Amino acid sequence: MSKADQLIMERRLRPIYDAIDAGNAKKAVQEADKVLKKHPVTVCAKVLKALALIRSDKLAEGFEIINSLDVPGAQFDDGTLQAFVHCFKEAGCPNRITILYERAVAVSPSEQNLTHLFMAHVRNRSFKNQQLVAMRLFKEFNNSPYFFWGVMSIVMQARENPEMGAKMFYPLAARMVENHVTKYGYKAGAEIELHAMVLEGMKKFAEAEELLGAEESRSLLSTPPSFLMARRIALLLSAGRHQTVVDRTVEGLKIE
């Protein structure tokens, strides 16, 4: 769809959006019917009508429309996809959002669709699928945050299953981060925080403290110095490094 076509579509749909935003579901249905009378193939208008019906507690009517449209192979623009998402949220059907974006990715594996699919898995706490989508994003678009989305997804699996976390997930996450950092370095404080979280999960408390205390880390971390020092001291206590705690406490007092 060209930019001009998008502007025309936005103007056409604006009365429906305005009615929905105003909480007037009945008027939204009427406005959608007006659009569909003149332009019967306007899919977004159909989905917005379904949303208005759902908000009117007419779920059966709303889903009759949705189920006729949300089928494998169908291609939708982002506005229509977002309208579907609102329908599924209103109806309490988060799994349908995942299916929606799985189908969208199958038709158009764009960065935007893959990102929405990742977020759908996040909402459903589907950590393994999060990991797979995040690593696909990183592989295809070479954007470092996607890599760390994948690592965080592995950490979530470790927390969900502590036994497998100790045996497999934390060591896997550690290897991935170490290899990535060796190749690319740290780009943001959040990456350092996640690496420290992985080390902490492996009970490598002293290594986590050393990482957080490194000069490079302090230059990237946005954590206030006093909070960072408290975190480091807690890690050292967990490691049984009591004398070092005394030294770090003195260091913290000097910072203050």
Side-chain angles (χ1 to χ4, degrees):
M1 186 184 294
S2 69
K3 196 166 185 178
D5 289 337
Q6 286 179 338
L7 290 172
I8 292 170
M9 182 63 70
E10 286 175 10
R11 285 198 298 270
R12 188 178 296 164
L13 298 174
R14 177 50 52 196
I16 311 174
Y17 281 113
D18 288 343
I20 289 173
D21 289 342
N24 193 336
K26 182 178 180 180
K27 183 173 176 56
V29 171
Q30 292 171 347
E31 293 293 346
D33 284 337
K34 288 180 185 177
V35 172
L36 291 169
K37 186 175 181 179
K38 292 182 180 179
H39 310 281
V41 294
T42 308
V43 176
C44 192
K46 295 179 181 180
V47 182
L48 291 172
K49 179 180 179 178
L51 176 59
L53 289 168
I54 290 169
R55 289 189 174 181
S56 302
D57 293 326
K58 297 179 180 179
L59 266 70
E61 292 180 49
F63 270 88
E64 184 178 352
I65 296 171
I66 289 169
N67 292 334
S68 70
L69 300 170
D70 180 24
V71 295
Q75 187 167 4
F76 307 111
D77 60 37
D78 189 57
T80 303
L81 287 168
Q82 288 302 307
F84 273 118
V85 169
H86 284 297
C87 288
F88 297 139
K89 284 182 177 179
E90 290 281 343
C93 302
N95 287 336
R96 287 293 297 267
I97 300 175
T98 303
I99 294 169
L100 175 74
Y101 278 108
E102 285 175 342
R103 290 172 174 172
V105 165
V107 174
S108 176
S110 65
E111 185 174 8
Q112 186 174 34
N113 283 343
L114 281 163
T115 301
H116 281 302
L117 177 57
F118 175 84
M119 294 303 176
H121 287 313
V122 170
R123 281 189 290 268
N124 287 333
R125 297 178 62 82
S126 182
F127 304 132
K128 177 62 177 178
N129 286 323
Q130 285 177 214
Q131 176 192 344
L132 294 173
V133 175
M135 298 316 295
R136 179 177 175 181
L137 276 162
F138 177 67
K139 181 179 179 181
E140 295 186 12
F141 301 101
N142 196 30
N143 192 350
S144 192
Y146 296 144
F147 176 85
F148 286 93
W149 286 7
V151 174
M152 189 67 224
S153 300
I154 295 171
V155 170
M156 296 305 292
Q157 291 174 74
R159 291 183 171 183
E160 186 178 49
N161 187 337
E163 183 179 353
M164 289 303 297
K167 290 180 180 178
M168 183 177 75
F169 292 125
Y170 279 125
L172 171 61
R175 287 195 303 272
M176 288 174 63
V177 173
E178 287 160 9
N179 290 338
H180 184 86
V181 170
T182 298
K183 188 173 182 179
Y184 300 103
Y186 295 110
K187 303 296 183 185
E191 298 173 1
I192 297 168
E193 288 280 6
L194 181 54
H195 192 181
M197 189 186 301
V198 170
L199 292 170
E200 189 174 2
M202 297 174 72
K203 302 190 184 306
K204 294 184 177 182
F205 304 113
E207 289 184 35
E209 188 278 331
E210 185 178 352
L211 172 62
L212 292 175
E215 185 176 347
E216 179 189 6
S217 298
R218 292 200 301 270
S219 69
L220 289 172
L221 290 167
S222 59
T223 311
S226 58
F227 288 3
L228 180 59
M229 184 56 62
R231 174 90 188 280
R232 292 171 62 192
I233 288 171
L235 288 166
L236 287 168
L237 287 171
S238 296
R241 302 273 289 273
H242 299 99
Q243 182 55 50
T244 310
V245 169
V246 174
D247 297 338
R248 292 287 186 270
T249 303
V250 172
E251 180 184 338
L253 290 171
K254 289 179 180 178
I255 291 174
E256 291 295 326

